Amino acid sequence: MPRSRSKRKPPPAAAPYIDSAEKLIPVAKKLAASPLIAFDTEFLWERTYSPRLGLIQVADAQSTWLVDPLAVPAKGMEPLLDVLVSADTLKVAHAVDQDQICLHRDYGIVAEPLLDTAVAAALTGMGEQIGLSNLISKLLRIPLDKGYSRTNWLKRPLSPQMLQYAADDVAHLCEAAGLLLDKLRKLNREEWALELSAKAGDVAKAHFEPSSLARKLASARRLSPRTYCVLRELIAWREGAADHRNLPRRWMAEDKTLVKLASASPTTRKQLEDFRGLRGVSNPRSAARILRAIKAGLKSSPDGYSVPVRPRGPTARESAALVVLRCFLNALAAEHRIPARLLASQEEMVALLRAKAGDVEALKESAILADRVADLIGEDLVAILNGRRCLRIVDGKASLIDG
């Protein structure tokens, strides 16, 4: 059980507001001296191509600061950015995906090394996708006001209530992270949590990169190399046009529209006009740009892209077995207090049925599951797959027994 925090008081309402490069220097120096710091961002991203950063909150174990990115130029941000990428300081944030996108878009960096407290909570049995206020309440017995989550963070001046809300988002994260790290270490899952947390940085780096976007779309749909090349150029056109107009990319063209366009590869404006969902296609100059993109794609190289091999789907017999295996995996997930999706995907479950591993070593040699997962549930899984372990329900609870 978490220790009681009933006597603990929330941080003062007036966290220092940093609105110049000069004020940021001593803050960055203090943060650099700490082995663990917390950060968060506030931004708007409803009707624009990319997020518009309105505030950066940072904290160590004792203090919280609010940094104004509208007042501090990118050059002046460098001392803080150096801390956010320093290998000597562990950064902590909650549900960090969009925060990383903001940092990469505006400053070309992602925070690392990083612990996402949402990931850590999932790996320590606190539930998947737990909100920050719920996490802080469970760990520290401190309530957080979430009434300002959808406000205009680009307005100036920010109200005292908004500043307090922003400060609260990071003021308790270092302490919460300390408790979560203790739990992770006892479960031998700290490195696992850091690996999963780092994925948000990879996603952020690829979020606006046309080749990455095209490869992801093409792989999921198993498009031909020729179609992939055209799709890559069309995505580059869309990203550039959306960025220029500062509109959400889907307002220019949705992914499914570009995939169909790449597959057909029209060569005339008249053919292009047959496709719905393309913004600006009625404009001759815009239409010409799209046609040039298609032409460039037809002439370009796939740069190593090849059509992914489609795995053979489950047979009727395997489909029935998959239902049973999924029940076992859910029971194992509950036993280890971990989300079932972190144990095995649908394709991995099919591969497990076909591998017929006789022991844990054979399971690891098959490389179907990550070694961390094989170490955690390998013995039970092999016993289940070979009919040596059964599932029963007693008083509404599923449990494993030797069969």
Side-chain angles (χ1 to χ4, degrees):
M1 291 289 293
R3 301 189 298 272
S4 172
R5 296 294 189 275
S6 57
K7 295 182 180 180
R8 180 186 174 93
K9 295 181 179 180
Y17 190 79
I18 309 302
D19 57 4
S20 72
E22 292 73 23
K23 291 181 182 177
L24 186 58
I25 293 172
V27 174
K29 185 175 181 180
K30 191 171 189 302
L31 290 170
S34 175
L36 186 148
I37 66 170
F39 81 95
D40 188 29
T41 65
E42 305 296 345
F43 54 89
L44 294 185
W45 199 4
E46 285 84 24
R47 305 173 69 86
T48 58
Y49 172 67
S50 57
R52 300 172 67 189
L53 193 55
L55 197 67
I56 301 175
Q57 307 99 286
V58 289
D60 61 13
Q62 293 80 36
S63 306
T64 301
W65 299 269
L66 306 176
V67 182
D68 186 348
L70 304 183
V72 182
K75 184 71 175 175
M77 282 285 188
E78 288 182 359
L80 176 59
L81 302 180
D82 288 343
V83 179
L84 290 177
V85 300
S86 170
D88 298 327
T89 305
L90 178 63
K91 273 64 67 173
V92 177
H94 188 82
V96 74
D97 297 50
Q98 292 186 322
D99 303 302
Q100 293 282 51
I101 289 173
C102 286
L103 291 177
H104 194 260
R105 177 68 177 172
D106 280 26
Y107 304 113
I109 64 112
V110 293
E112 54 188 359
L114 174 91
L115 176 70
D116 187 330
T117 47
V119 171
L123 285 175
T124 54
M126 297 186 68
E128 199 166 7
Q129 297 180 334
I130 186 172
L132 176 63
S133 59
N134 201 4
L135 178 71
I136 298 300
S137 176
K138 286 185 175 181
L139 286 175
L140 305 175
R141 303 290 190 262
I142 297 174
L144 296 183
D145 178 12
K146 302 305 293 180
Y148 289 86
S149 59
R150 297 187 67 82
T151 52
N152 184 2
W153 292 99
L154 301 178
K155 65 176 279 188
R156 294 295 184 270
L158 296 171
S159 70
Q161 293 83 3
M162 293 172 72
L163 294 174
Q164 180 63 63
Y165 165 88
D168 284 347
D169 271 358
V170 294
H172 312 291
L173 265 182
C174 288
E175 185 176 8
L179 295 176
L180 288 169
L181 284 167
D182 286 344
K183 291 172 179 280
L184 288 167
R185 287 164 186 152
K186 289 176 182 177
L187 293 167
N188 195 28
R189 297 178 187 174
E190 182 181 4
E191 290 302 316
W192 195 358
L194 294 174
E195 288 172 7
L196 292 176
S197 298
K199 291 184 178 180
D202 297 333
V203 170
K205 293 173 184 176
H207 190 81
F208 296 104
E209 210 286 301
S211 293
S212 297
L213 294 169
R215 190 172 291 273
K216 182 178 179 181
L217 275 177
S219 296
R221 292 161 174 79
R222 295 179 173 84
L223 302 181
S224 70
R226 171 188 176 277
T227 303
Y228 160 75
C229 290
V230 177
L231 179 63
R232 182 180 57 196
E233 296 300 323
L234 285 171
I235 287 178
W237 159 77
R238 181 187 66 179
E239 298 300 296
D243 193 7
H244 178 71
R245 299 187 186 193
N246 198 23
L247 294 173
R249 57 166 64 119
R250 67 183 183 278
W251 290 16
M252 299 301 302
E254 293 187 357
D255 289 345
K256 61 183 180 181
T257 301
L258 294 187
V259 169
K260 290 178 180 178
L261 192 60
S263 298
S265 295
T267 57
T268 68
R269 184 180 170 190
K270 188 176 186 315
Q271 292 172 335
L272 195 61
E273 289 173 350
D274 291 335
F275 287 84
R276 293 177 297 170
L278 281 173
R279 189 184 183 101
V281 72
S282 59
N283 183 296
R285 299 174 78 177
S286 296
R289 292 189 185 100
I290 297 172
L291 291 172
R292 282 199 297 271
I294 293 171
K295 185 177 181 180
L298 291 171
K299 292 182 177 180
S300 64
S301 165
D303 296 330
Y305 170 81
S306 58
V307 183
V309 177
R310 184 187 296 275
R312 179 167 56 90
T315 63
R317 181 178 177 179
E318 287 171 337
S319 294
L322 281 173
V323 175
V324 178
L325 179 56
R326 188 174 292 108
C327 291
F328 276 109
L329 284 171
N330 285 336
L332 289 170
E335 178 183 333
H336 292 284
R337 303 181 68 197
I338 190 171
R341 66 174 179 82
L342 296 180
L343 297 181
S345 66
Q346 173 79 4
E347 289 186 357
E348 288 169 339
M349 284 191 285
V350 174
L352 287 170
L353 291 176
R354 294 170 180 168
K356 300 179 181 178
D359 53 39
V360 176
E361 286 306 311
L363 178 64
K364 286 187 174 183
E365 287 176 8
S366 72
I368 296 170
L369 301 178
D371 281 348
R372 294 187 187 283
V373 176
D375 288 337
L376 183 66
I377 65 168
E379 185 177 339
D380 284 322
L381 192 55
V382 168
I384 290 163
L385 291 168
N386 288 278
R388 299 193 299 270
R389 199 147 296 171
C390 305
L391 189 64
R392 68 175 181 177
I393 298 176
V394 178
D395 296 329
K397 180 182 178 181
S399 61
L400 299 171
I401 60 170
D402 291 335

